[in-house]
Amino acid sequence: MKIEQVFKNNKHWIEEKLKTNTSFFDDMGKGQSPEMLYIGCSDSRVTAEEVMGLGPGEVFVHRNIANMVISIDLNAMSVVEYAIEHLKVNHVVVCGHYGCGGVKAAMQSADLGLLNPWLRNIRDVYRIHKKELDAITDEEKKYERLVELNVQEQCVNLIKTAAVQKAYRDRNLKVYGWVFDIHTGKLVDLNINFENILKNIMEIYHLD
Ligand code: CO
């Protein structure tokens, strides 16, 4: 990759944007009011806006290895707080993807140094769903299922936050779990039953 090319691309992008809307950058300078928070994997193949056909200003994005929502991760928690409390998004998406290197690494027994504590959260997902996962004999299918279950558990983690619980009560905010299929380009809705999860975990995690 030539870095100079990036600046050439940028120039071209500006021209293209101005061709369709002469006030594109004037409008962008006025502020943002996205309606969605997207939490996805840092994987270079899973670009948030592009796979959803959305443009600048439409989605607030947080990406990390294996799309994790960890309660003591100040970075992720600040994004959640800011998007929900200040930008007032009404849709929060956790999007995983098949072929996720982070999930794959968590399935193997190897010391990965600094990555160990991060990946341990995925191993915890495996432990919670051990019975279901151990019953799957096909390694690839087991891997794909762990990707899905990880998305589900990160949705649960979101629902444990005060920001989500309050916004659900006040304005019916919704949490969605999706998987991006890198083999076909398709976004798959896991149809996470948000309200059911909320009801089930509220006994212990009720904050508001
Ligand atoms: Co990934």
Side-chain angles (χ1 to χ4, degrees):
M1 182 193 282
K2 285 211 168 70
I3 295 300
E4 302 82 51
Q5 189 59 43
V6 171
F7 288 91
K8 275 187 204 153
N9 293 347
N10 173 249
K11 218 176 141 213
H12 179 69
W13 176 75
I14 293 168
E15 286 161 9
E16 286 302 307
K17 286 292 169 201
L18 291 175
K19 245 188 237 168
T20 48
N21 179 3
T22 50
S23 63
F24 184 83
F25 295 103
D26 295 329
D27 296 344
M28 213 155 75
K30 286 176 191 150
Q32 62 167 338
S33 54
E35 291 173 36
M36 175 195 280
L37 164 61
Y38 169 101
I39 299 170
C41 184
S42 296
D43 191 299
S44 60
R45 299 163 296 180
V46 193
T47 55
E49 290 91 341
E50 197 174 323
V51 304
M52 295 191 285
L54 298 175
E58 292 186 285
V59 52
F60 201 65
V61 175
H62 179 74
R63 290 167 69 180
N64 61 36
I65 293 176
N67 42 270
M68 306 301 286
V69 180
I70 298 166
S71 67
I72 55 164
D73 174 4
L74 190 58
N75 185 356
M77 286 303 119
S78 302
V79 168
V80 168
E81 180 81 9
Y82 184 67
I84 296 175
E85 295 280 331
H86 299 272
L87 295 173
K88 306 277 182 209
V89 301
N90 282 321
H91 308 282
V92 182
V93 173
V94 177
C95 186
H97 67 103
Y98 297 134
C100 184
V103 172
K104 183 107 204 166
M107 284 176 81
Q108 290 153 355
S109 51
D111 179 359
L112 293 163
L114 189 62
L115 284 168
N116 290 340
W118 191 259
L119 298 176
R120 205 188 63 196
N121 294 289
I122 309 171
R123 292 186 204 272
D124 290 341
V125 173
Y126 196 108
R127 182 172 51 80
I128 295 167
H129 297 278
K130 187 176 177 335
K131 216 171 152 190
E132 180 187 342
L133 289 163
D134 281 352
I136 305 170
T137 48
D138 185 296
E139 274 304 305
E140 193 60 28
K141 290 224 165 64
K142 187 187 286 194
Y143 174 27
E144 291 191 347
R145 188 60 188 142
L146 182 55
V147 165
E148 295 169 1
L149 290 168
N150 184 45
V151 167
Q152 187 183 306
E153 289 304 323
Q154 303 322 311
C155 289
V156 171
N157 286 343
L158 270 171
I159 296 166
K160 291 173 189 167
T161 66
V164 167
Q165 291 178 17
K166 261 186 223 158
Y168 170 70
R169 186 200 61 199
D170 296 346
R171 54 178 207 270
N172 204 27
L173 169 135
K174 292 241 160 57
V175 173
Y176 312 85
W178 298 348
V179 170
F180 177 70
D181 186 344
I182 50 163
H183 308 290
T184 62
K186 242 190 203 162
L187 270 180
V188 183
D189 188 349
L190 297 176
N191 292 312
I192 303 262
N193 194 330
F194 169 57
E195 279 166 19
N196 219 9
I197 294 173
L198 195 75
K199 247 184 254 155
N200 283 337
I201 69 167
M202 274 313 218
E203 199 187 324
I204 298 169
Y205 297 97
H206 191 268
L207 295 176
D208 178 57

